[in-house]
Amino acid sequence: MSDAGRSEAGSGSVFHGLRTEGLEALLGSAPAGAELEFENTLRPQRFDEFVGQRQTLENLRVAISAAKARKDTPDHVLLSGPPGLGKTSLAKLIAIELGTTLHSTTGPALERARDLVGILTQLKRGDVLFIDEIHRVPAAVEEYLYSAMEDYAVDLTLDQGPNARVLPLKLERFVLVGATTREGLLSAPFRGRFGLLERLSPYPTEDLIAILERSARILAVAISPSAARTVAERSRGTPRIANRFLRRVRDLVQVCGAARAEPAHAIEALRRMGVDEFGLEDTDRRILAVLARNLTRPVGLKTLAAAIGEAEDTVEEVFEPHLLRCGFLERTSRGRLITAEGCAAIGVDAASLRPEGESAT
Ligand code: ADP
């Protein structure tokens, strides 16, 4: 089969989603190798194991059971939201619920139309094609997806120049599940071809506690309720981060020979990862420090990204949302500003930096 995709039974064999380095690199490398194996052991295997995002789950359940009753396939699904919120897990659950096979690939892996057609022609009726980072599908390949999604057919062009021939291919009815961290980058015609558009949002602490408790049971780690809360509160609303933290807490508990994880273990394990009580890590603190140096002068995204040596996208999509949610950073039309709470979070006395006569943000 093409290098662009991998398939697996929806009933739960190990998932081999292809991933590239990128925004997922938050707090460690993008999940690959052992990290991906670890994630797979924790992935929900049934809809009722998937915690939170109730409206999205409900919409998917309804779409799937209605399609099953009609002996048809559900509409194509677009899942958007920051990394680590459960988009891949949901794609897998859709295939499990449909009792079909999940085929996974990523936008950047679909370099040529041939890569896509190679996958499409393998799909059986009702199979799920999961395209992660779908906003990175090249424009030329996107065109092929249009007819595949709408008419379940593609015209493959063979050869070039005078020898070029068009081979029309019929496809089985399949379900496309696209995942994106940048919904705004999808063209309107592309977005319009998805019947279900679901936006995942960061999880409240209580949901993260439920996720951690489930993960702890699977990993056979004893964790006290207050330790689970400590980890949840520092996990930036993100299950992937919560699970990664839990792994480190488990290691520390094991090394300490303790019977179960208590808040002190959680705090110490996270401190060793450079994570503070607000869930801020080094890059967050560097962002706040740059803003604190410009206390009342809004800093543009470009300048901020250059100052901390990160891509603008990464600052905007990975770091800023959490800082905004914590109320440590403000976005204005002229740029970013640190708030008084942001100053306090990095131990800066705003009053001592603020020029005379200027008010606090
Ligand atoms: P995404 O595709 O959005 O980056 P994933 O689906 O890969 O996120 O989820 C990352 C990890 O977090 C997985 O190990 C998964 O088990 C866990 N996870 C995500 N959302 C949930 C949830 N709602 N309930 C339980 N576990 C979750």
Side-chain angles (χ1 to χ4, degrees):
M1 80 177 288
S2 155
D3 280 348
R6 296 278 185 276
S7 57
E8 57 157 330
S11 54
S13 58
V14 174
F15 176 62
H16 296 289
L18 298 177
R19 291 185 177 274
T20 50
E21 290 288 328
L23 299 176
E24 310 247 358
L26 171 67
L27 296 176
S29 54
E35 193 74 54
L36 189 56
E37 288 279 312
F38 169 74
E39 281 207 347
N40 287 329
T41 58
L42 300 180
R43 238 180 250 293
Q45 298 299 317
R46 291 193 316 267
F47 266 146
D48 53 15
E49 288 178 358
F50 192 92
V51 178
Q53 311 288 346
R54 281 185 45 203
Q55 192 59 55
T56 293
L57 274 195
E58 188 56 25
N59 294 345
L60 292 176
R61 271 186 212 274
V62 169
I64 290 172
S65 54
K68 274 180 160 174
R70 291 195 308 271
K71 299 206 173 353
D72 196 0
T73 50
D75 280 345
H76 303 300
V77 182
L78 181 65
L79 302 170
S80 65
L85 295 195
K87 299 182 291 299
T88 306
S89 305
L90 282 175
K92 185 172 170 64
L93 288 176
I94 292 171
I96 291 174
E97 287 294 313
L98 289 170
T100 58
T101 301
L102 178 76
H103 303 251
S104 301
T105 186
T106 69
L110 298 173
E111 272 175 46
R112 294 153 307 173
R114 223 181 319 147
D115 298 326
L116 174 67
V117 173
I119 301 174
L120 289 173
T121 49
Q122 290 188 32
L123 301 178
K124 306 260 184 327
R125 190 179 164 83
D127 278 0
V128 174
L129 171 59
F130 175 56
I131 307 185
D132 202 2
E133 298 184 73
I134 197 162
H135 57 276
R136 293 177 65 192
V137 170
V141 178
E142 192 178 309
E143 300 277 326
Y144 281 83
L145 265 179
Y146 289 177
S147 61
M149 290 170 81
E150 238 167 39
D151 308 323
Y152 302 100
V154 280
D155 285 339
L156 182 64
T157 308
L158 301 171
D159 288 339
Q160 288 175 339
N163 294 328
R165 284 163 298 140
V166 172
L167 181 65
L169 295 171
K170 242 359 258 120
L171 305 172
E172 295 291 346
R173 285 183 81 84
F174 68 99
V175 187
L176 177 63
V177 179
T180 179
T181 50
R182 306 285 308 266
E183 192 191 340
L185 293 186
L186 252 64
S187 67
F190 199 3
R191 207 162 351 144
R193 283 173 167 82
F194 291 92
L196 283 159
L197 292 119
E198 296 295 333
R199 234 168 249 144
L200 305 189
S201 34
Y203 291 66
T205 300
E206 298 308 320
D207 283 354
L208 289 174
I209 291 174
I211 290 170
L212 283 165
E213 284 170 347
R214 174 178 173 273
S215 301
R217 276 196 302 279
I218 295 171
L219 298 173
V221 192
I223 183 164
S224 73
S226 46
R229 178 169 294 276
T230 304
V231 175
E233 284 170 350
R234 289 157 169 74
S235 298
R236 310 169 77 100
T238 308
R240 170 174 296 137
I241 295 177
N243 284 338
R244 282 191 187 180
F245 286 173
L246 179 65
R247 198 178 180 189
R248 297 298 180 92
V249 173
R250 173 188 68 174
D251 291 349
L252 190 69
V253 168
Q254 200 178 323
V255 170
C256 294
R260 73 171 187 174
E262 298 297 345
H265 297 116
I267 292 167
E268 177 57 17
L270 299 189
R271 190 193 62 75
R272 289 174 185 217
M273 294 174 81
V275 176
D276 71 12
E277 61 188 297
F278 307 108
L280 303 187
E281 49 98 50
D282 191 47
T283 310
D284 300 296
R285 285 189 290 269
R286 284 193 291 129
I287 289 174
L288 292 179
V290 171
L291 298 180
R293 282 200 294 277
N294 293 275
L295 202 56
T296 55
R297 286 188 306 275
V299 180
L301 177 61
K302 222 186 189 98
T303 312
L304 184 57
I308 62 156
E310 292 282 351
E312 289 172 43
D313 279 0
T314 311
V315 172
E316 210 171 14
E317 291 167 32
V318 177
F319 296 103
E320 275 190 356
H322 182 62
L323 294 171
L324 282 164
R325 266 204 319 282
C326 291
F328 295 161
L329 175 147
E330 267 177 13
R331 266 189 202 159
T332 72
S333 54
R334 290 177 302 131
R336 278 76 177 154
L337 284 169
I338 191 168
T339 63
E341 291 79 8
C343 286
I346 54 165
V348 167
D349 177 6
S352 71
L353 294 174
R354 201 175 301 282
E356 292 259 315
E358 291 202 28
S359 62
T361 51

